[in-house]
Amino acid sequence: MLRTSSYTIYVNLPDRQDEVLLVHGYTGAYDKVSRQVADFLRAREVKGGSKPLYGEWSPEPALRGGAEAPSEAAIEELREQGYLTDLTREQEEDFFVQLSGALHARAQRQMPSYIFMPTYDCNLRCAYCYQDHMRTDCSFKHLLRTMRPAMIDRIFAALPQIEERHGLPLDAPRRRNIGLFGGEPLLAANRPVVEHLLARAFEAGDADVWAVTNGTELDAYEDFLGPAGISALQITLDGPPEKHDRRRVYADGSGSYERIARNVSMALERGVAVSIRINVDRDNLSDLPAVADEFIARGWHRHPRFSVYTSPVRAGNGKTDPQGVFSSWDLDRELTRMREADPRLAILARPDEGLTARVRRIFDSPGDVMPSLRPSFCSAHDRMYIFDPFGDIYACWEKTGDPDVRIGRVLPEGEVELRIDQTETWRSRTVASNPVCRRCRYALHCGGGCAILALAGSGKFNSNYCDGFASRFKASVAEAFLAHQTGAPAAVLGERVCDL
Amino acid sequence: MKKNQMSRDVASFNRAAFRVEPEHLAAGSLDELLARVLGGSTSCTSFTCNLYAPPPPPPPG
């Protein structure tokens, strides 16, 4: 019997009562329909779908008046696009699980991404840092050593084996994606080991090397910076100078802004893509106009490879007040409101600006494109390998430094030993691996949310972490459509390192 | 904007990549559908084709 697909998403358009956007949760369809058609579909939904247990849930558009059937041609079009289906709810859920598995398997057959942690040590003491304990609790002191060149050689010897596991032939040319993370990877004292790593990376073939760095000692790496070396950086600046210098501090409490700012200018002049991350909470939200002024005054916005994005501080390390932080949705709304009043803030990307931009491309260049679907939230669940100074391998950079959760290690001979239990735990988390996500119409657009935040929130690794995604997705689709209609210039965004 | 206006009530911006019918749920048919949509071998569309199980050999021919 023909029914409305359980994975039909309805997007209201502001100030337009007679039209609704439809997005399908797995076929890739995007359509605009009359309110009559939307009501018809709503009326044919089989009730009983799950609401997320955690996070926000936006009510679907209210059913208005009767649900008059549209034309036969419209009904056939709705079937073609997947909004109407002959599958039962159970059959459709089974298909969704299989599709998610196939998408996940395809993701795992891609080139792995690698992150090297030269050290867990850092020269700053930011209070909200999830690694803060490593530098302030003496029992973690043993972690604060630097990776040795011999370990780098061992790891590079192991990479072909990892790539073969992902279906890449040993003799195939490859371009590796290599990130540097920490602690602080670009401490001046780490220069010898970073130099050795770069030599090995480019000797093995083409590579894209990037770093997440606090930027304080970047000047020690000036000659390595550029399109042929370390070509992209993510650097955090948490406000205008005086506010940043109260949050991103050295161990003696002194500030870091000016030094970082000089290094940002230097990196941009050398052609490096610099993405500034601003960790925003209720304390520094009102400072954002001053932040924008600073960046504009320094001329950074004129560099084509300069970008800024905002991210909500997460209250996860026990030192951050949960009342003082935003959800992604709340931060996006606050920034939207502030930007309407102050256009300078357009240079600061909102948390969901990337999502809006991706949807905008569909409206601007419509066709038969399979939009990017997310069977899992991030590459911790398919192909990311993080190597710490000890040769331990982790799946997620939020969970490093604890051998109990490592997914494997690099052996002295350059072999890779994977722990089946931890590897399976990390690599099997998909939108099909919990009963809430697999029934959610947004799941393949969302990815199921961050595993670490899900674990912190519910105590279960394989649970959903919605973070208001339903509201966020619908707002982004509506915004993208309206921007397409008005011909507003599309946002130019840099790449974000992590979706958190 | 390209419109597929089979009716005034529905305007398409992006076509569905596939349409799944009950008959696709029969053994083997779903793998073929997914392989056609996503590319790759029909023998490697499930989660078993992953890190800790080596991928199956390519089909002959």
Side-chain angles (χ1 to χ4, degrees):
Chain A
M1 187 185 88
L2 201 62
R3 66 173 185 91
T4 297
S5 166
S6 308
Y7 300 88
T8 299
I9 299 169
Y10 307 84
V11 180
N12 266 346
L13 291 168
D15 302 324
R16 295 192 194 185
Q17 303 303 312
D18 59 340
E19 292 179 321
V20 176
L21 295 178
L22 297 180
V23 182
H24 198 275
Y26 60 73
T27 66
Y30 280 72
D31 295 80
K32 178 165 64 74
V33 299
S34 66
R35 175 68 62 180
Q36 173 203 2
V37 168
D39 285 348
F40 170 78
L41 289 172
R42 293 290 316 285
R44 298 185 79 82
E45 288 204 358
V46 173
K47 301 303 176 190
S50 294
K51 295 185 177 182
L53 297 178
Y54 307 100
E56 299 167 22
W57 185 262
S58 294
E60 297 303 329
L63 186 61
R64 294 162 157 253
E68 183 184 334
S71 66
E72 285 302 313
I75 289 176
E76 183 53 31
E77 180 68 358
L78 295 171
R79 293 185 72 158
E80 279 293 326
Q81 292 291 73
Y83 304 117
L84 287 174
T85 180
D86 288 306
L87 299 179
T88 65
R89 200 153 66 88
E90 292 72 25
Q91 287 175 329
E92 192 176 24
E93 184 179 331
D94 286 345
F95 169 73
F96 179 85
V97 169
Q98 294 194 61
L99 175 63
S100 301
L103 288 168
H104 190 54
R106 184 176 68 162
Q108 291 185 304
R109 292 195 299 276
Q110 305 303 311
M111 183 69 176
S113 60
Y114 304 113
I115 294 176
F116 284 74
M117 299 178 69
T119 183
Y120 285 102
D121 202 0
C122 183
N123 55 346
L124 297 184
R125 298 290 182 269
C126 311
Y128 57 73
C129 180
Y130 70 94
Q131 296 176 328
D132 181 64
H133 62 284
M134 293 183 182
R135 271 86 62 178
T136 56
D137 183 339
C138 292
S139 61
F140 292 93
K141 192 175 177 184
H142 63 284
L143 293 178
L144 304 182
R145 55 174 280 191
T146 303
M147 187 180 274
R148 298 197 172 111
M151 178 59 72
I152 291 177
D153 293 341
R154 192 190 295 182
I155 294 169
F156 271 90
L159 297 187
Q161 301 168 49
I162 293 174
E163 288 153 8
E164 192 182 22
R165 282 174 178 261
H166 285 265
L168 298 164
L170 281 173
D171 57 354
R174 58 206 63 208
R175 187 181 188 96
R176 291 190 174 125
N177 183 294
I178 296 175
L180 299 173
F181 190 69
E184 171 48 51
L186 300 184
L187 294 172
N190 294 344
R191 184 183 159 106
V193 71
V194 173
E195 183 170 13
H196 188 78
L197 185 151
L198 291 175
R200 292 307 310 270
F202 289 104
E203 154 195 302
D206 291 333
D208 296 302
V209 181
W210 51 273
V212 176
T213 172
N214 63 32
T216 56
E217 299 187 355
L218 196 58
D219 46 298
Y221 294 85
E222 182 171 357
D223 52 326
F224 294 160
L225 298 179
I230 303 175
S231 58
L233 299 170
Q234 178 187 290
I235 298 175
T236 295
L237 287 172
D238 271 353
E242 62 280 3
K243 183 59 70 74
H244 171 99
D245 283 343
R246 289 202 292 272
R247 294 159 66 107
R248 308 272 301 173
V249 296
Y250 288 94
D252 64 1
S254 60
S256 56
Y257 190 96
E258 270 312 312
R259 187 159 187 189
I260 297 170
R262 285 196 302 272
N263 284 333
V264 169
S265 295
M266 178 268 291
L268 287 169
E269 289 299 321
R270 292 189 63 87
V272 173
V274 177
S275 175
I276 300 291
R277 173 176 168 131
I278 307 176
N279 296 305
V280 183
D281 58 20
R282 295 186 190 279
D283 178 60
N284 67 350
L285 177 71
S286 59
D287 297 320
L288 292 181
V291 170
D293 280 344
E294 268 285 320
F295 295 170
I296 292 169
R298 292 179 186 267
W300 292 344
H301 63 302
R302 288 195 287 269
H303 286 270
R305 305 197 79 195
F306 174 75
S307 61
V308 189
Y309 77 95
T310 54
S311 185
V313 173
R314 303 288 181 181
N317 70 350
K319 296 183 180 179
T320 305
D321 176 14
Q323 301 302 315
V325 301
F326 291 108
S327 66
S328 297
W329 173 238
D330 288 341
L331 178 57
D332 195 88
R333 294 298 91 194
E334 288 285 347
L335 288 169
T336 302
R337 177 186 60 77
M338 292 172 71
R339 196 188 275 185
E340 285 169 1
D342 188 346
R344 291 173 298 167
L345 292 174
I347 71 166
L348 310 181
R350 300 169 352 228
D352 291 328
E353 205 109 35
L355 173 57
T356 306
R358 284 192 295 277
V359 176
R360 172 78 188 267
R361 282 195 284 274
I362 291 173
F363 290 126
D364 285 349
S365 304
D368 303 331
V369 174
M370 185 69 174
S372 178
L373 296 178
R374 301 176 73 171
S376 61
F377 185 69
C378 77
S379 54
H381 304 301
D382 50 45
R383 55 197 171 91
M384 183 157 72
Y385 293 83
I386 301 163
F387 304 99
D388 81 354
F390 309 95
D392 288 337
I393 307 174
Y394 295 89
C396 168
W397 48 18
E398 293 267 337
K399 284 286 181 186
T400 53
D402 180 358
D404 287 341
V405 300
R406 65 185 176 185
I407 63 169
R409 60 188 181 127
V410 182
L411 299 174
E413 309 80 35
E415 297 284 317
V416 173
E417 177 188 84
L418 288 182
R419 288 180 57 186
I420 297 299
D421 56 344
Q422 283 295 326
T423 303
E424 180 159 359
T425 295
W426 280 99
R427 303 310 202 199
S428 65
R429 184 178 185 270
T430 70
V431 294
S433 59
N434 77 75
V436 174
C437 289
R438 78 166 71 103
R439 294 182 192 141
C440 176
R441 61 192 80 207
Y442 303 93
L444 280 174
H445 293 279
C446 160
C450 171
I452 301 305
L453 295 176
L455 184 62
S458 72
K460 293 181 184 175
F461 187 81
N462 274 304
S463 63
N464 54 302
Y465 185 80
C466 301
D467 198 18
F469 188 81
S471 301
R472 294 161 54 201
F473 183 75
K474 290 190 288 187
S476 290
V477 171
E479 180 180 334
F481 177 75
L482 295 172
H484 158 75
Q485 287 233 301
T486 61
V492 176
L493 300 168
E495 282 299 314
R496 239 190 250 198
V497 168
C498 179
D499 280 338
L500 280 186
Chain B
M1 180 180 75
K2 181 176 79 175
K3 286 190 179 182
N4 181 344
Q5 293 204 296
M6 297 192 64
S7 83
R8 287 185 306 161
D9 290 331
V10 183
S12 241
F13 291 95
N14 210 58
R15 305 299 301 165
F18 56 89
R19 175 171 160 175
V20 59
E21 302 287 0
E23 51 267 30
H24 288 131
L25 303 182
S29 298
L30 196 55
D31 278 350
E32 286 179 19
L33 171 67
L34 293 176
R36 178 169 53 79
V37 172
L38 303 178
S41 161
T42 55
S43 60
C44 195
T45 56
S46 73
F47 184 67
T48 57
C49 182
N50 58 35
L51 278 188
Y52 32 94

